[in-house]
Amino acid sequence: MEILKRPMGDYQTNCYIVKIDGKEIIIDPGMGATEWVMANVANPVAILNTHGHFDHVWSNSELQKKLNIPLYTPKGDVMLLQNSSWMPGLPPSTPDIEVDGDQNFTIEGIEVKFHHFPGHCPGCSMIEIGDAVFSGDFLFEGSIGRWDFPYSDAEAMRQSLKKFSRWSSNQTLYPGHGNPTSVQKELRNVDYWLSVV
């Protein structure tokens, strides 16, 4: 498995391309992602959103049209794909598959697991593919997603942190912004964040 990363737009939102078994999965195509994605895929099979904030989904619709592949979006954030109070110019997109909570998929032979961690937004999820976990805006290196945005929920974030505290793997985490980290490294920070949220 090979993972390509490119920070996109003013918020430097990480767009990822996961190359596995001669196929590619695109994760969080943000602002201006289309040209980079098109230059780096040969056999794309799906677009996945970790959540619905505009800086992660800006190029959804353009890539859907160009590539004719399915879009998977957490169900709780589907409404954010049609309208963004922060960014009125957001190109609207419609998922082919609404991911309901924790859900597993086999996409062209590739096992994909969505793990629902609401708080930053209703649909906020981490996506597991092999030994990689794409943590979106739930977890960053030494930090977590904000819980003071519209549709954020501090209590949901606390419950999500408790849920994450039960993880025992040491997979690499690829966040929506910044550098990779690991499950075990971020587990050490859970108690602190629970005292803050």
Side-chain angles (χ1 to χ4, degrees):
M1 185 168 71
E2 180 184 5
I3 298 171
L4 307 182
K5 178 185 87 169
R6 174 68 65 88
M8 298 291 174
D10 292 342
Y11 295 90
Q12 292 292 280
T13 304
N14 292 329
C15 176
Y16 294 99
I17 298 172
V18 181
K19 296 180 175 243
I20 183 169
D21 296 334
K23 302 162 189 149
E24 297 101 14
I25 290 176
I26 301 149
I27 300 175
D28 286 358
M31 302 178 82
T34 299
E35 183 178 354
W36 178 72
V37 168
M38 296 300 293
N40 286 281
V41 296
N43 186 22
V45 294
I47 304 164
L48 313 181
N49 295 149
T50 59
H51 64 297
H53 283 160
F54 72 89
D55 57 316
H56 294 255
V57 304
W58 191 273
S59 298
N60 274 355
S61 59
E62 191 172 28
L63 284 169
Q64 280 179 288
K65 290 170 188 170
K66 285 181 176 292
L67 299 174
N68 193 30
I69 56 176
L71 170 65
Y72 293 69
T73 303
K75 186 174 183 178
D77 284 2
V78 169
M79 81 288 193
L80 298 176
L81 303 186
Q82 298 295 323
N83 179 37
S84 172
S85 58
W86 300 326
M87 192 63 63
L90 173 70
S93 56
T94 302
D96 300 281
I97 294 92
E98 296 184 8
V99 182
D100 193 2
D102 294 340
Q103 200 168 354
N104 299 344
F105 300 93
T106 301
I107 304 173
E108 297 288 326
I110 301 169
E111 297 297 319
V112 174
K113 299 178 181 180
F114 277 77
H115 301 274
H116 189 212
F117 289 99
H120 178 67
C121 53
C124 193
S125 298
M126 300 204 297
I127 300 171
E128 179 182 0
I129 303 174
D131 59 359
V133 178
F134 299 89
S135 59
D137 282 4
F138 174 49
L139 295 174
F140 308 112
E141 184 182 27
S143 188
I144 63 173
R146 289 174 59 172
W147 58 92
D148 60 341
F149 286 150
Y151 304 109
S152 294
D153 185 327
E155 179 55 31
M157 178 64 85
R158 281 190 286 270
Q159 294 306 314
S160 288
L161 288 165
K162 290 177 182 177
K163 177 180 175 180
F164 175 66
S165 74
R166 297 190 288 272
W167 278 37
S168 59
S169 70
N170 193 26
Q171 293 154 299
T172 301
L173 289 177
Y174 295 88
H177 305 267
N179 298 317
T181 179
S182 71
V183 169
Q184 290 300 316
K185 184 176 178 182
E186 300 315 315
L187 281 171
R188 295 197 289 268
N189 299 322
V190 168
D191 287 345
Y192 168 75
W193 289 114
L194 282 171
S195 73
V196 171
V197 176

